[in-house]
Amino acid sequence: MANPQINNYDTSKIFVRNNEFQTGTYTNPESDDVTLLKGTVMGRISASNKILPLESNASDGSQFPIGILADDYVVDYTESATLTFCKAGDVVQSKIIFANGTDTVATVVSGRTLGDRIKGDSLGINLVGGDQLTAQDNQ
């Protein structure tokens, strides 16, 4: 008897209800190609209006969340790309990503947790406890 092939797929959603999306420009500051994953919490540099993954230790405005990345992107070294991010609606909390690997929704930035800031600093992202499979995801 042959061994059956087993495949595990994650069909759960990140964006589940009443989501609104917006685009922004990202310029790769690294010395190599960068992969940005959907679900990454994004910030915006105040002086240039460019978006990048949120970093709580930043002091250029990008320490404040503006949205959550809607798709995976690979951006070549020194290139710019237009990225789509969710700015409002219900988002599954367990699916969000903080790019530096150390920030969490409990990380405090300027006296408020990032979880509170995601809701308050965005146009109304509501972090929910689980996915509902009720809305179109990442189209």
Side-chain angles (χ1 to χ4, degrees):
M1 183 167 127
N3 289 331
Q5 180 178 351
I6 298 173
N7 296 313
N8 291 316
Y9 298 102
D10 183 358
T11 60
S12 60
K13 308 290 184 182
I14 296 173
F15 309 104
V16 291
R17 276 187 305 276
N18 304 317
N19 301 107
E20 294 180 34
F21 296 89
Q22 181 176 334
T23 60
T25 302
Y26 169 83
T27 300
N28 183 350
E30 303 298 326
S31 59
D32 206 353
D33 296 352
V34 169
T35 300
L36 301 169
L37 300 175
K38 66 182 171 184
T40 300
V41 179
M42 303 300 286
R44 184 186 319 272
I45 299 171
S46 300
S48 68
N49 210 32
K50 297 206 186 248
I51 64 172
L52 70 161
L54 179 138
E55 172 64 55
S56 64
N57 293 325
S59 59
D60 58 3
S62 65
Q63 71 271 29
F64 302 116
I66 60 159
I68 298 171
L69 204 57
D71 289 302
D72 294 336
Y73 295 91
V74 176
V75 183
D76 294 335
Y77 169 61
T78 70
E79 294 295 317
S80 292
T82 300
L83 309 181
T84 301
F85 59 92
C86 175
K87 65 179 184 176
D90 291 348
V91 177
V92 178
Q93 180 174 321
S94 64
K95 297 286 188 176
I96 65 172
I97 299 167
F98 291 97
N100 68 4
T102 58
D103 287 334
T104 68
V105 292
T107 301
V108 175
V109 174
S110 295
R112 292 174 57 205
T113 66
L114 284 175
D116 288 342
R117 286 201 166 278
I118 288 170
K119 182 168 183 151
D121 292 353
S122 68
L123 291 179
I125 291 175
N126 183 37
L127 297 178
V128 297
D131 59 325
Q132 317 261 321
L133 298 176
T134 58
Q136 197 169 7
D137 187 33
N138 296 329
Q139 296 285 334

